[in-house]
Amino acid sequence: MKKGITILVIASAIVLVIGINVYSAQSGSSKTTNVAVTNLKEKTLKNTIMVPGTLKLANEQYVYFDAEKGEIEKFHVTEGSHVQQGTPLITYKSDSMELEQEQNQLEKKSSYLQIDSLSKQISNLNKKQKDLEREMNKQEAKEQIDSERTQLNLDLETAKIDLERKQLETKSITKKEQDLEITSDINGIVLEVDKEAINNTSEVQKPLVHIGNTDEYVAMGVLSEYDALKIQIGQTVKITSDVLPDKEWSGSVKQIDYLPKQQVSVEGSNDSANQYPIQVKIDNKDISMIKPGFKLLLEIETSSKRANSLPTKSIINKKNRKYVYVVKDKEVLLREVKVGEVTSKYIEIKKGVSSKEKVVSNPTENLVDGAEVNIQ
């Protein structure tokens, strides 16, 4: 008797569990999913490349010690001085240059004396010819004087050529003397004067004088081979800095080097990646609130167009095809779309959806074709 009751209780429990599961399944199949929707809108689609950069002065000049010029005789500027192009910065003193100049002057003086002497000898030949005619006939006297005149004229021309050479040497010495005075190549401010750099013994040479124009700044960075193909001179650049996260500056691509600056070894590979230097002109003068050398982030706009678009999160990728869920009569229908330009936020829709249709803006993995939905 008790055994029969036990079997009956177990059977009832099984039936109850099956009933609950059936009810749950039926309830689940009829449950609607809440979805957010969007629709096709015309957007400006911009593609950008992010490049780390460094702030630099647009115009700078570094003057380094040149031992071949001699010793430093004088520093003409101090830190903070305003200079114009051509302003003297430092002057060298060269003892060898002074000796070379003195020797050149003596050699030119010798050439002048020789030319003067030969000219006088030539002018005296007529008198000498008359004296010879008293000792021999006129023809013999003429032949002897003509031979002497030819040699003296040859010597005179040689002396004149030698003088011209000495005069060219004088110009060369004058140029060398001018090179002993180093002048400013730009208009700007003297940022640094380091007289001790003359005695620097390290491998890294330090500048004696550093000049910069603080009215114009540029951002310097490097591009990968892949990105270098996308960047063109004149493209718009948005510039930011972690130091001032709420600040933004604008600029444009000014220069892209034709040749790579350096090669960086790729980890785990014998290959190396070329990096191409890029220079960005900064439009805003208030960039001077940060200092040269500060790190920047350069967002370079490579393309821009107006197009009918959807949020990228609304797109479903299946087997290299693009789909969206379109809401119709409280159901979602999976529909293939043809896309174009893609950005981080939006994607161009060329075909597959009209502007009047509602598209699920952020479909979940649980959403399926034909599911009943409720628009939030």
Side-chain angles (χ1 to χ4, degrees):
M1 183 69 178
K2 290 181 179 180
K3 184 176 181 181
I5 293 172
T6 302
I7 293 173
L8 181 61
V9 170
I10 293 173
S12 299
I14 292 172
V15 171
L16 180 62
V17 170
I18 293 173
I20 292 172
N21 290 337
V22 171
Y23 176 77
S24 299
Q26 290 176 345
S27 298
S29 63
S30 62
K31 183 179 180 181
T32 59
T33 302
N34 293 327
V35 295
V37 295
T38 186
N39 62 309
L40 207 61
K41 295 178 181 177
E42 189 178 44
K43 295 284 185 180
T44 299
L45 303 181
K46 296 181 179 181
N47 276 310
T48 60
I49 292 175
M50 307 299 286
V51 178
T54 304
L55 183 66
K56 291 179 65 69
L57 295 173
N59 292 310
E60 290 183 278
Q61 180 184 358
Y62 294 90
V63 178
Y64 295 92
F65 177 65
D66 186 352
E68 292 184 359
K69 293 182 181 294
E71 299 178 354
I72 300 292
E73 182 177 39
K74 185 177 181 180
F75 283 83
H76 297 281
V77 293
T78 58
E79 290 184 9
S81 302
H82 288 263
V83 296
Q84 300 294 320
Q85 185 177 4
T87 300
L89 303 176
I90 60 175
T91 300
Y92 286 88
K93 180 182 179 181
S94 174
D95 294 335
S96 62
M97 186 69 64
E98 292 179 1
L99 291 174
E100 188 176 349
Q101 186 179 34
E102 291 177 3
Q103 183 177 354
N104 177 257
Q105 293 295 330
L106 290 173
E107 289 176 348
K108 284 197 300 181
K109 186 176 180 179
S110 175
S111 295
Y112 280 121
L113 290 173
Q114 186 176 8
I115 290 172
D116 184 61
S117 175
L118 290 169
S119 298
K120 288 179 178 180
Q121 291 180 53
I122 293 172
S123 64
N124 290 330
L125 285 178
N126 291 333
K127 182 177 179 298
K128 187 176 181 180
Q129 182 176 348
K130 290 181 180 180
D131 292 340
L132 287 174
E133 288 175 356
R134 296 189 187 100
E135 301 175 3
M136 60 185 71
N137 62 50
K138 289 184 178 181
Q139 183 62 32
E140 291 177 347
K142 182 179 181 301
E143 290 176 357
Q144 184 173 334
I145 292 301
D146 285 346
S147 175
E148 189 173 347
R149 181 182 285 110
T150 300
Q151 184 61 48
L152 287 173
N153 283 328
L154 180 60
D155 292 342
L156 180 61
E157 288 302 316
T158 302
K160 288 180 178 180
I161 292 172
D162 190 57
L163 177 60
E164 290 179 4
R165 181 175 60 82
K166 299 294 191 303
Q167 289 172 336
L168 289 175
E169 289 178 358
T170 300
K171 291 182 179 180
S172 176
I173 293 171
T174 301
K175 178 64 170 60
K176 290 179 181 179
E177 287 179 333
Q178 293 173 349
D179 290 343
L180 294 179
E181 184 177 80
I182 309 302
T183 60
S184 175
D185 295 336
I186 62 173
N187 300 333
I189 298 175
V190 179
L191 303 175
E192 182 182 14
V193 175
D194 185 2
K195 297 181 180 181
E196 298 301 320
I198 299 172
N199 304 316
N200 180 46
T201 57
S202 65
E203 293 183 0
V204 179
Q205 193 174 13
K206 296 181 179 179
L208 296 171
V209 180
H210 177 199
I211 299 172
N213 185 341
T214 57
D215 293 331
E216 186 178 353
Y217 290 82
V218 293
M220 305 297 294
V222 291
L223 301 171
S224 67
E225 294 175 347
Y226 178 76
D227 289 340
L229 296 175
K230 299 180 179 180
I231 305 299
Q232 301 293 329
I233 292 175
Q235 287 176 333
T236 301
V237 183
K238 183 174 77 173
I239 304 161
T240 55
S241 171
D242 290 339
V243 178
L244 298 172
D246 298 328
K247 192 67 180 172
E248 180 181 305
W249 301 275
S250 62
S252 58
V253 177
K254 182 179 180 180
Q255 178 180 323
I256 307 167
D257 284 10
Y258 182 74
L259 297 174
K261 181 179 181 181
Q262 58 184 1
Q263 290 188 331
V264 179
S265 297
V266 179
E267 187 175 354
S269 171
N270 293 326
D271 296 332
S272 58
N274 290 324
Q275 293 183 324
Y276 293 82
I278 181 174
Q279 185 179 126
V280 173
K281 180 181 179 296
I282 301 175
D283 299 330
N284 312 92
K285 289 189 176 181
D286 64 347
I287 191 78
S288 60
M289 64 178 60
I290 58 178
K291 296 181 180 296
F294 274 42
K295 299 301 180 183
L296 303 172
L297 185 61
L298 313 176
E299 186 177 347
I300 305 173
E301 183 181 307
T302 57
S303 65
S304 177
K305 66 181 293 188
R306 297 283 292 178
N308 290 327
S309 309
L310 287 172
T312 53
K313 292 182 179 180
S314 65
I315 303 299
I316 300 165
N317 298 299
K318 288 186 177 181
K319 297 181 179 179
N320 296 325
R321 294 187 177 184
K322 310 291 184 183
Y323 298 87
V324 295
Y325 279 115
V326 177
V327 179
K328 187 175 182 180
D329 298 331
K330 295 186 177 182
E331 288 185 352
V332 290
L333 304 176
L334 186 66
R335 186 181 298 174
E336 185 177 357
V337 291
K338 185 179 179 181
V339 302
E341 199 74 34
V342 180
T343 69
S344 59
K345 293 183 179 181
Y346 292 96
I347 184 168
E348 178 186 4
I349 304 298
K350 292 185 173 181
K351 188 176 180 182
V353 178
S354 70
S355 59
K356 295 181 180 179
E357 291 181 301
K358 296 177 181 179
V359 177
V360 177
S361 58
N362 193 6
T364 63
E365 294 181 357
N366 297 328
L367 198 61
V368 294
D369 187 25
E372 186 177 342
V373 295
N374 180 43
I375 298 175
Q376 291 181 330

